[in-house]
Amino acid sequence: MNGKKTVQEAFNETAYRIAGNGNRDVQVLKEALAAVENSTASDIYGTGEVIEDFQTKMANILGKETAVFFPSGTMAQQIALRIWCDEKEVKKVAYHPLCHLEIHEQDGLKELHHIEPILLADKNRLITLEDVANLKEDIACLLLELPQREIGGQLPEYTELEAISAHCRARGIKLHLDGARLFEILPYYGKSAAEISALFDSVYISFYKGIGGIAGAILAGSEDFTKQSKIWKRRHGGDLISLYPYIISSDYYYQQREGNMQQYYEGAKELAAWVNQCHDVTTLPAQPVSNMFHMHFQMSKEQIQPILSAVYEATGIGLSAGIRATGEHASYCEISIGDKYADIPKEKLKEFFLLLDKLMSESSAE
């Protein structure tokens, strides 16, 4: 059995989606704005009740003195590292080889700020205390991403995180948290956002991933740090005359979904168990530590796509529209559990994975 449609076509026609919170369409904004009074004043160039109240709220949640709302995490994180480099007068920072700043930002940190990144650890594993302790370079800041998205959303043990934090503080190295998915890891650690943030000097969080807002980010830290970040925000062109559509949607969906992270985490573990029963399919990590994981196929992208298309058509369930090659005979997709997973009847899920297992087995036997 081979799907006659492309994976994207078959996915678009499914009645159920395994991952995410739903379509990213105009309804997302309309729903967020529906509960807001028409007379609510907009923010203007970073000031006004709508932005200042939200910044204060997030600073309190993260346990930091102050916070600043940014239109993007790319802008926020480059600025955070620039501030720490200027303070120490060292133009070097360290982070994972698959850090967002290294692989998704067109060398913005290097070209705009002339900061040299030191890549720690092998790209296929997490940064450890040993990696940090063995650093030969003098760095201003170490960036840790929790979870490490590009390797399946893996996380260090909390004791390791505490040890890295203590090491950095003892040596005057600033520690910055890429917490784009911070709320999604709270169930695994059994900690509050403030408890985890306390290990770091500065923290970035995103509002369009697990939270499901339109766009936007918060950068939090000391009052002096955020004061400087506002200056850099203006220099980067981040002080749009108004950011309220992003702020309101961020706040609205934070309130809607912050309390659902345990549910998403349990869903990811349940789904991974289904996946790992299939022929030639495994998850990374073997058991998820957040709402996300990577699903690896021991087949090329070209081989797996018609199989997935056929399963989508037969069951009406869509797993992912995007399959990426990792080698001549290997490919993967990323899964992030949100609201939509709970909508799928368990019998339908069972049907999906039984058929996927059957087709994978038949294909590998050919």
Side-chain angles (χ1 to χ4, degrees):
M1 178 193 294
N2 283 323
K4 297 179 180 179
K5 298 176 181 176
T6 66
V7 170
Q8 182 71 64
E9 289 171 340
F11 180 83
N12 289 344
E13 294 178 7
T14 53
Y16 299 101
R17 305 285 169 82
I18 284 177
N21 292 312
N23 293 333
R24 293 186 60 82
D25 52 27
V26 176
Q27 183 59 35
V28 173
L29 178 58
K30 291 174 71 175
E31 182 178 329
L33 291 175
V36 180
E37 293 292 334
N38 292 344
S39 59
T40 300
S42 70
D43 57 303
I44 299 177
Y45 293 122
T47 63
E49 190 173 305
V50 69
I51 189 170
E52 291 169 7
D53 285 356
F54 186 62
Q55 289 173 163
T56 298
K57 174 180 178 176
M58 297 316 301
N60 290 336
I61 288 167
L62 296 172
K64 296 300 183 186
E65 287 183 0
T66 52
V68 180
F69 188 86
F70 280 79
S72 79
T74 297
M75 183 186 297
Q77 295 209 102
Q78 287 184 24
I79 286 171
L81 298 187
R82 175 60 185 264
I83 292 169
W84 295 136
C85 284
D86 285 353
E87 180 179 292
K88 193 170 181 181
E89 298 183 344
V90 173
K91 284 284 195 175
K92 292 182 180 180
V93 298
Y95 51 57
H96 193 273
L98 300 180
C99 173
H100 193 280
L101 287 93
E102 187 67 16
I103 65 174
H104 291 306
E105 298 181 14
Q106 300 294 317
D107 288 336
L109 190 68
K110 304 167 194 174
E111 296 295 330
L112 297 178
H113 297 282
H114 309 293
I115 292 173
E116 178 187 348
I118 308 300
L119 306 183
L120 284 187
D122 179 87
K123 68 178 183 177
N124 295 314
R125 67 169 175 84
L126 295 167
I127 292 172
T128 66
L129 174 61
E130 183 179 5
D131 295 318
V132 183
N134 289 337
L135 258 171
K136 305 302 181 186
E137 307 272 359
D138 186 18
I139 62 169
C141 180
L142 169 65
L143 179 153
L144 294 181
E145 180 186 358
L146 304 177
Q148 195 74 50
R149 177 194 177 185
E150 300 293 340
I151 53 173
Q154 295 183 55
L155 286 170
E157 291 303 316
Y158 199 73
T159 52
E160 180 87 356
L161 199 55
E162 290 177 310
I164 292 173
S165 176
H167 176 89
C168 288
R169 286 184 176 162
R171 286 156 182 76
I173 299 170
K174 296 297 184 180
L175 189 58
H176 172 76
L177 172 58
D178 178 342
R181 296 167 175 81
L182 174 61
F183 299 110
E184 291 90 319
I185 68 172
L186 301 185
Y188 176 74
Y189 279 141
K191 305 287 184 181
S192 68
E195 287 175 307
I196 295 174
S197 296
L199 302 176
F200 295 83
D201 298 288
S202 54
V203 177
Y204 144 67
I205 56 174
S206 172
F207 290 99
Y208 73 87
K209 296 179 173 66
I211 297 298
I214 300 170
I218 277 284
L219 184 62
S222 68
E223 187 171 353
D224 181 64
F225 171 81
T226 53
K227 182 178 179 180
Q228 293 182 65
S229 78
K230 288 182 179 180
I231 295 171
W232 278 106
K233 181 184 174 186
R234 176 63 60 91
R235 289 170 175 165
H236 270 252
D239 262 340
L240 281 64
I241 185 171
S242 295
L243 289 165
Y244 67 89
Y246 307 115
I247 298 164
I248 290 172
S249 74
S250 294
D251 194 18
Y252 176 81
Y253 289 108
Y254 172 79
Q255 293 180 66
Q256 294 288 310
R257 297 190 173 117
E258 181 272 334
N260 296 342
M261 295 302 166
Q262 183 72 44
Q263 172 190 320
Y264 302 158
Y265 174 45
E266 296 301 330
K269 289 190 290 184
E270 178 184 75
L271 182 65
W274 283 104
V275 171
N276 287 314
Q277 292 177 36
C278 290
H279 188 80
D280 284 346
V281 192
T282 56
T283 65
L284 182 68
Q287 179 166 302
V289 292
S290 71
N291 71 321
M292 74 165 293
F293 59 85
H294 286 180
M295 184 170 170
H296 286 264
F297 306 97
Q298 294 178 39
M299 286 185 179
S300 69
K301 178 180 177 180
E302 290 70 29
Q303 289 175 304
I304 193 61
Q305 287 190 112
I307 292 175
L308 288 178
S309 178
V311 177
Y312 294 178
E313 288 185 65
T315 65
I317 295 177
L319 178 69
S320 173
I323 308 299
R324 306 177 207 176
T326 55
E328 187 178 355
H329 303 293
S331 55
Y332 84 100
C333 64
E334 181 177 290
I335 304 295
S336 292
I337 298 300
D339 291 345
K340 303 308 291 182
Y341 181 73
D343 295 339
I344 308 174
K346 298 303 181 189
E347 282 304 309
K348 293 290 292 181
L349 273 175
K350 181 178 180 180
E351 177 189 350
F352 179 95
F353 284 106
L354 285 174
L355 181 56
L356 178 61
D357 178 57
K358 176 177 180 290
L359 296 186
M360 293 290 290
S361 297
E362 290 174 354
S363 181
S364 63
E366 291 176 358

